[in-house]
Amino acid sequence: MYNQCLMIYPATYNFLHARRKQGRFLVKLVIALVLASVAIVVTMWFITRYTNDDDENDRTGSDEWFHHAIVLGFYLFSPFWILYFVIGITLAFVYDAYRPKETHHAKRYGYIADICTVTILALSIIQVSQGGVDETRNYFFRPSEANNSYLDDASTNRLWDTVYGRLFCPITSLWIYTLSTGEGVTAKFLRNEILVSTLAPNSYGCFLFHQMVGQWYFAATRNGLWWNWWSYRKTMYWFSPKPIPVEWFEYPYIVGLVILFTRFITNHVEPHVSRFFVGIGTGINDSHIGEGNDEIRSSSELMLAVVIILTGVEATMNNTSEECGLGSIGMPIVVSTLNKMLAKDHVDATVNVSEMIQARTIADMVAVIDTAKSRASDSGI
């Protein structure tokens, strides 16, 4: 899915860039895309749900297989997910066309963002407070077809979970757009240094490691009892998650442990592993640096060569790091590769991550390299 998003990005960007001044067209396009996303999930729900318990008596094994195939196909069909990627790109062009931050009514966007925040929080609290699926209770946000753990094989329950989340697309799109102005209480809270610099970099790692760390915690606090839900038969054969059976007050402990483990992996393991694989892929790791070149390349030639090595993109000096693919690699890898290239050219200069991370374009990165060379020369290296 990620690769397909990268595949369609150039064509989508070029299409929108050619119409970047057509604000009304871009707004209509966003609205059309959002309505299309809602129509897709609503249509999918009504054509695949089981409408009543009587239907259960007539369902055969082949019916079950076909139902699972349809639901799983919908869940994993990447164009339906790519739609949200395109909505995000289009929203960025809408923002650039109207620049709401620069208007006299910028604070109004902050109010709208805060209203969206309160709405999302309220609905989330109500949803969580209802507890798990229980056919003996009535739920405000779960249809009866998705609330029958006895007669349903869980595919309809799971289908509603993904449909329900995607139905929030209109409000989340508006929320992201208005948050981009930086106005409002929500934006002020999200600018907190702890959230931005300490917690945010761990988000993807927490997604990867929370199940594993949670199981370790359960085994350590239950006298060695190993809760391994994955070894038991599931209610359906595709993606059927269950929560770890711990008390509610243990939740903060587990979250803290997951964050600490993620920070350890991110700071002390991932850089070495990434450098190893980058070195294998590019042939410029420590064992394959070689004797260097007869002529020292200029800073611009060096930086453009690094971009080609890491991403395969022939960048220009005006390209940003995101446009040429460096944004998804990580600046430590870029700097590590760059310093190896400098050493390969017998240039006794070292570029720092703290300096390079402030550069926005390739030209800015070249300026950082020039500064490092000048600093090395002035210090008599």
Side-chain angles (χ1 to χ4, degrees), residues 315-329:
T316 65
M317 301 300 288
N318 294 326
N319 284 137
T320 64
S321 60
E322 289 78 12
E323 290 173 342
C324 58
L326 295 180
S328 61
I329 293 177

Side-chain angles (χ1 to χ4, degrees), residues 7-38:
M7 179 182 67
I8 70 165
Y9 176 76
T12 305
Y13 179 88
N14 292 336
F15 174 81
L16 295 173
H17 187 267
R19 297 160 178 81
R20 64 188 183 279
K21 301 299 182 182
Q22 303 175 24
R24 291 186 177 181
F25 168 78
L26 294 173
V27 170
K28 292 178 180 178
L29 181 59
V30 168
I31 294 174
L33 291 172
V34 170
L35 292 178
S37 71
V38 174

Side-chain angles (χ1 to χ4, degrees), residues 13 20-21 41-42 86 109 123 149 151 163 219 229 300 305 321:
Y13 179 88
R20 64 188 183 279
K21 301 299 182 182
V41 295
V42 170
V86 176
Y109 292 98
L123 292 175
S149 58
L151 297 180
V163 167
W229 178 80
S300 58
S321 60

